[in-house]
mmCIF file of all heavy atoms in Angstrom:
data_model
loop_
_atom_site.group_PDB
_atom_site.id
_atom_site.type_symbol
_atom_site.label_atom_id
_atom_site.label_comp_id
_atom_site.label_asym_id
_atom_site.label_seq_id
_atom_site.Cartn_x
_atom_site.Cartn_y
_atom_site.Cartn_z
ATOM 1 N N ALA A 103 205.606 151.154 7.487
ATOM 2 C CA ALA A 103 204.420 151.996 7.090
ATOM 3 C C ALA A 103 204.651 153.387 7.580
ATOM 4 O O ALA A 103 204.340 154.409 6.787
ATOM 5 C CB ALA A 103 203.079 151.428 7.691
ATOM 6 N N GLU A 104 205.229 153.659 8.773
ATOM 7 C CA GLU A 104 205.455 154.953 9.283
ATOM 8 C C GLU A 104 206.589 155.596 8.336
ATOM 9 O O GLU A 104 206.532 156.853 8.133
ATOM 10 C CB GLU A 104 205.842 155.001 10.706
ATOM 11 C CG GLU A 104 204.678 154.710 11.667
ATOM 12 C CD GLU A 104 203.665 155.734 11.552
ATOM 13 O OE1 GLU A 104 203.899 156.872 11.813
ATOM 14 O OE2 GLU A 104 202.473 155.392 11.221
ATOM 15 N N TYR A 105 207.622 154.834 7.957
ATOM 16 C CA TYR A 105 208.622 155.294 7.126
ATOM 17 C C TYR A 105 208.048 155.739 5.720
ATOM 18 O O TYR A 105 208.275 156.812 5.251
ATOM 19 C CB TYR A 105 209.703 154.288 6.940
ATOM 20 C CG TYR A 105 210.887 154.518 7.918
ATOM 21 C CD1 TYR A 105 210.723 154.456 9.291
ATOM 22 C CD2 TYR A 105 212.154 154.695 7.416
ATOM 23 C CE1 TYR A 105 211.738 154.659 10.109
ATOM 24 C CE2 TYR A 105 213.224 154.852 8.269
ATOM 25 C CZ TYR A 105 213.057 154.787 9.659
ATOM 26 O OH TYR A 105 214.025 154.897 10.537
ATOM 27 N N GLN A 106 207.196 154.957 5.213
ATOM 28 C CA GLN A 106 206.475 155.270 3.917
ATOM 29 C C GLN A 106 205.601 156.474 4.073
ATOM 30 O O GLN A 106 205.535 157.388 3.210
ATOM 31 C CB GLN A 106 205.586 154.061 3.458
ATOM 32 C CG GLN A 106 204.956 154.260 2.126
ATOM 33 C CD GLN A 106 206.079 154.418 1.051
ATOM 34 O OE1 GLN A 106 206.868 153.654 0.902
ATOM 35 N NE2 GLN A 106 205.767 155.465 0.220
ATOM 36 N N LYS A 107 204.932 156.646 5.204
ATOM 37 C CA LYS A 107 204.094 157.775 5.418
ATOM 38 C C LYS A 107 204.952 159.058 5.447
ATOM 39 O O LYS A 107 204.564 160.080 4.840
ATOM 40 C CB LYS A 107 203.317 157.642 6.809
ATOM 41 C CG LYS A 107 202.503 158.856 7.168
ATOM 42 C CD LYS A 107 201.902 158.581 8.487
ATOM 43 C CE LYS A 107 201.228 159.763 9.013
ATOM 44 N NZ LYS A 107 200.793 159.656 10.370
ATOM 45 N N ALA A 108 206.039 158.970 6.092
ATOM 46 C CA ALA A 108 207.013 160.209 6.114
ATOM 47 C C ALA A 108 207.394 160.505 4.701
ATOM 48 O O ALA A 108 207.480 161.647 4.249
ATOM 49 C CB ALA A 108 208.198 159.824 6.988
ATOM 50 N N PHE A 109 207.756 159.461 3.934
ATOM 51 C CA PHE A 109 208.181 159.683 2.533
ATOM 52 C C PHE A 109 206.999 160.381 1.749
ATOM 53 O O PHE A 109 207.172 161.295 0.955
ATOM 54 C CB PHE A 109 208.528 158.378 1.787
ATOM 55 C CG PHE A 109 209.104 158.487 0.516
ATOM 56 C CD1 PHE A 109 210.343 158.999 0.153
ATOM 57 C CD2 PHE A 109 208.236 158.321 -0.574
ATOM 58 C CE1 PHE A 109 210.777 159.253 -1.123
ATOM 59 C CE2 PHE A 109 208.615 158.501 -1.900
ATOM 60 C CZ PHE A 109 209.985 158.941 -2.117
ATOM 61 N N ASP A 110 205.780 159.821 1.934
ATOM 62 C CA ASP A 110 204.621 160.336 1.180
ATOM 63 C C ASP A 110 204.420 161.841 1.559
ATOM 64 O O ASP A 110 203.772 162.565 0.774
ATOM 65 C CB ASP A 110 203.427 159.537 1.510
ATOM 66 C CG ASP A 110 203.511 158.117 0.906
ATOM 67 O OD1 ASP A 110 204.356 157.794 0.049
ATOM 68 O OD2 ASP A 110 202.735 157.250 1.327
ATOM 69 N N GLU A 111 204.828 162.252 2.726
ATOM 70 C CA GLU A 111 204.648 163.631 3.184
ATOM 71 C C GLU A 111 205.761 164.512 2.816
ATOM 72 O O GLU A 111 206.011 165.661 3.233
ATOM 73 C CB GLU A 111 204.484 163.616 4.703
ATOM 74 C CG GLU A 111 203.239 163.012 5.138
ATOM 75 C CD GLU A 111 203.083 162.805 6.723
ATOM 76 O OE1 GLU A 111 204.032 163.034 7.385
ATOM 77 O OE2 GLU A 111 202.002 162.438 7.140
ATOM 78 N N THR A 112 206.615 164.034 1.771
ATOM 79 C CA THR A 112 207.818 164.758 1.371
ATOM 80 C C THR A 112 207.480 166.188 1.052
ATOM 81 O O THR A 112 208.281 167.149 1.565
ATOM 82 C CB THR A 112 208.443 164.042 0.149
ATOM 83 O OG1 THR A 112 209.050 162.901 0.583
ATOM 84 C CG2 THR A 112 209.524 165.023 -0.492
ATOM 85 N N PRO A 113 206.480 166.616 0.373
ATOM 86 C CA PRO A 113 206.265 167.969 -0.006
ATOM 87 C C PRO A 113 206.222 168.889 1.252
ATOM 88 O O PRO A 113 206.790 170.056 1.233
ATOM 89 C CB PRO A 113 204.972 168.088 -0.782
ATOM 90 C CG PRO A 113 204.872 166.629 -1.370
ATOM 91 C CD PRO A 113 205.408 165.808 -0.341
ATOM 92 N N THR A 114 205.604 168.469 2.256
ATOM 93 C CA THR A 114 205.509 169.296 3.472
ATOM 94 C C THR A 114 206.886 169.307 4.187
ATOM 95 O O THR A 114 207.268 170.431 4.550
ATOM 96 C CB THR A 114 204.496 168.596 4.459
ATOM 97 O OG1 THR A 114 203.121 168.613 3.855
ATOM 98 C CG2 THR A 114 204.430 169.472 5.727
ATOM 99 N N HIS A 115 207.484 168.231 4.324
ATOM 100 C CA HIS A 115 208.827 168.226 5.031
ATOM 101 C C HIS A 115 209.913 168.949 4.216
ATOM 102 O O HIS A 115 210.759 169.645 4.695
ATOM 103 C CB HIS A 115 209.248 166.829 5.378
ATOM 104 C CG HIS A 115 208.295 166.065 6.186
ATOM 105 N ND1 HIS A 115 207.838 166.549 7.377
ATOM 106 C CD2 HIS A 115 207.666 164.983 6.025
ATOM 107 C CE1 HIS A 115 206.970 165.751 8.009
ATOM 108 N NE2 HIS A 115 206.863 164.800 7.094
ATOM 109 N N LEU A 116 209.787 168.869 2.883
ATOM 110 C CA LEU A 116 210.825 169.445 1.970
ATOM 111 C C LEU A 116 210.731 171.084 2.109
ATOM 112 O O LEU A 116 211.644 171.675 2.110
ATOM 113 C CB LEU A 116 210.581 168.928 0.543
ATOM 114 C CG LEU A 116 211.578 169.560 -0.445
ATOM 115 C CD1 LEU A 116 212.962 169.157 -0.083
ATOM 116 C CD2 LEU A 116 211.248 169.009 -1.828
ATOM 117 N N ALA A 117 209.482 171.490 2.083
ATOM 118 C CA ALA A 117 209.258 172.955 2.238
ATOM 119 C C ALA A 117 209.851 173.437 3.486
ATOM 120 O O ALA A 117 210.559 174.506 3.551
ATOM 121 C CB ALA A 117 207.689 173.306 2.128
ATOM 122 N N ALA A 118 209.662 172.635 4.583
ATOM 123 C CA ALA A 118 210.223 173.024 5.965
ATOM 124 C C ALA A 118 211.799 173.009 5.898
ATOM 125 O O ALA A 118 212.390 173.865 6.472
ATOM 126 C CB ALA A 118 209.713 172.144 7.037
ATOM 127 N N ALA A 119 212.226 171.964 5.284
ATOM 128 C CA ALA A 119 213.697 171.766 5.142
ATOM 129 C C ALA A 119 214.406 172.939 4.373
ATOM 130 O O ALA A 119 215.414 173.445 4.833
ATOM 131 C CB ALA A 119 214.107 170.441 4.602
ATOM 132 N N ASN A 120 213.766 173.346 3.328
ATOM 133 C CA ASN A 120 214.296 174.406 2.474
ATOM 134 C C ASN A 120 214.261 175.728 3.234
ATOM 135 O O ASN A 120 215.213 176.491 3.178
ATOM 136 C CB ASN A 120 213.605 174.516 1.214
ATOM 137 C CG ASN A 120 213.955 173.398 0.184
ATOM 138 O OD1 ASN A 120 215.098 172.893 0.240
ATOM 139 N ND2 ASN A 120 213.063 173.009 -0.722
ATOM 140 N N GLU A 121 213.202 175.972 4.069
ATOM 141 C CA GLU A 121 213.258 177.099 4.893
ATOM 142 C C GLU A 121 214.264 177.010 5.998
ATOM 143 O O GLU A 121 214.877 178.058 6.296
ATOM 144 C CB GLU A 121 211.794 177.354 5.522
ATOM 145 C CG GLU A 121 210.787 177.835 4.505
ATOM 146 C CD GLU A 121 211.125 179.102 3.853
ATOM 147 O OE1 GLU A 121 211.476 180.020 4.570
ATOM 148 O OE2 GLU A 121 211.043 179.147 2.546
ATOM 149 N N ALA A 122 214.447 175.812 6.535
ATOM 150 C CA ALA A 122 215.533 175.648 7.608
ATOM 151 C C ALA A 122 216.909 175.977 7.067
ATOM 152 O O ALA A 122 217.697 176.631 7.813
ATOM 153 C CB ALA A 122 215.398 174.188 8.076
ATOM 154 N N LEU A 123 217.130 175.593 5.854
ATOM 155 C CA LEU A 123 218.464 175.780 5.265
ATOM 156 C C LEU A 123 218.696 177.359 5.023
ATOM 157 O O LEU A 123 219.813 177.838 5.267
ATOM 158 C CB LEU A 123 218.711 175.143 4.023
ATOM 159 C CG LEU A 123 218.813 173.535 4.181
ATOM 160 C CD1 LEU A 123 218.672 172.829 2.824
ATOM 161 C CD2 LEU A 123 219.975 173.167 4.958
ATOM 162 N N LYS A 124 217.661 178.131 4.803
ATOM 163 C CA LYS A 124 217.687 179.560 4.757
ATOM 164 C C LYS A 124 218.151 180.091 6.121
ATOM 165 O O LYS A 124 218.840 181.041 6.210
ATOM 166 C CB LYS A 124 216.447 180.180 4.253
ATOM 167 C CG LYS A 124 216.130 179.873 2.750
ATOM 168 C CD LYS A 124 214.786 180.483 2.434
ATOM 169 C CE LYS A 124 214.299 180.132 0.997
ATOM 170 N NZ LYS A 124 212.990 180.558 0.715
ATOM 171 N N GLU A 125 217.586 179.453 7.139
ATOM 172 C CA GLU A 125 217.919 180.019 8.506
ATOM 173 C C GLU A 125 219.382 179.726 8.869
ATOM 174 O O GLU A 125 220.044 180.452 9.536
ATOM 175 C CB GLU A 125 217.055 179.253 9.574
ATOM 176 C CG GLU A 125 215.633 179.665 9.538
ATOM 177 C CD GLU A 125 214.804 178.753 10.553
ATOM 178 O OE1 GLU A 125 215.407 178.198 11.499
ATOM 179 O OE2 GLU A 125 213.530 178.571 10.334
ATOM 180 N N LEU A 126 219.889 178.645 8.306
ATOM 181 C CA LEU A 126 221.328 178.151 8.593
ATOM 182 C C LEU A 126 222.348 179.133 7.887
ATOM 183 O O LEU A 126 223.396 179.325 8.397
ATOM 184 C CB LEU A 126 221.549 176.740 8.090
ATOM 185 C CG LEU A 126 222.978 176.202 8.255
ATOM 186 C CD1 LEU A 126 223.377 176.224 9.780
ATOM 187 C CD2 LEU A 126 223.102 174.877 7.714
ATOM 188 N N GLU A 127 221.950 179.604 6.687
ATOM 189 C CA GLU A 127 222.878 180.424 5.848
ATOM 190 C C GLU A 127 223.694 181.444 6.620
ATOM 191 O O GLU A 127 224.840 181.469 6.605
ATOM 192 C CB GLU A 127 222.020 181.055 4.687
ATOM 193 C CG GLU A 127 222.832 181.929 3.791
ATOM 194 C CD GLU A 127 223.418 181.238 2.605
ATOM 195 O OE1 GLU A 127 223.356 180.005 2.587
ATOM 196 O OE2 GLU A 127 223.833 181.900 1.739
ATOM 197 N N PRO A 128 223.102 182.331 7.423
ATOM 198 C CA PRO A 128 223.847 183.347 8.200
ATOM 199 C C PRO A 128 224.685 182.767 9.302
ATOM 200 O O PRO A 128 225.566 183.443 9.817
ATOM 201 C CB PRO A 128 222.874 184.300 8.685
ATOM 202 C CG PRO A 128 221.550 183.619 8.634
ATOM 203 C CD PRO A 128 221.602 182.595 7.596
ATOM 204 N N LEU A 129 224.398 181.448 9.706
ATOM 205 C CA LEU A 129 225.178 180.902 10.843
ATOM 206 C C LEU A 129 226.552 180.307 10.402
ATOM 207 O O LEU A 129 227.404 180.116 11.228
ATOM 208 C CB LEU A 129 224.311 179.766 11.469
ATOM 209 C CG LEU A 129 222.938 180.287 12.009
ATOM 210 C CD1 LEU A 129 222.268 179.007 12.671
ATOM 211 C CD2 LEU A 129 223.040 181.446 12.928
#
Side-chain angles (χ1 to χ4, degrees):
E104 289 297 300
Y105 267 58
Q106 184 62 50
K107 179 181 168 188
F109 183 80
D110 293 344
E111 295 171 349
T112 290
T114 300
H115 302 304
L116 183 58
N120 284 333
E121 287 302 312
L123 291 171
K124 290 178 188 175
E125 291 175 25
L126 178 64
E127 179 91 347
L129 304 182

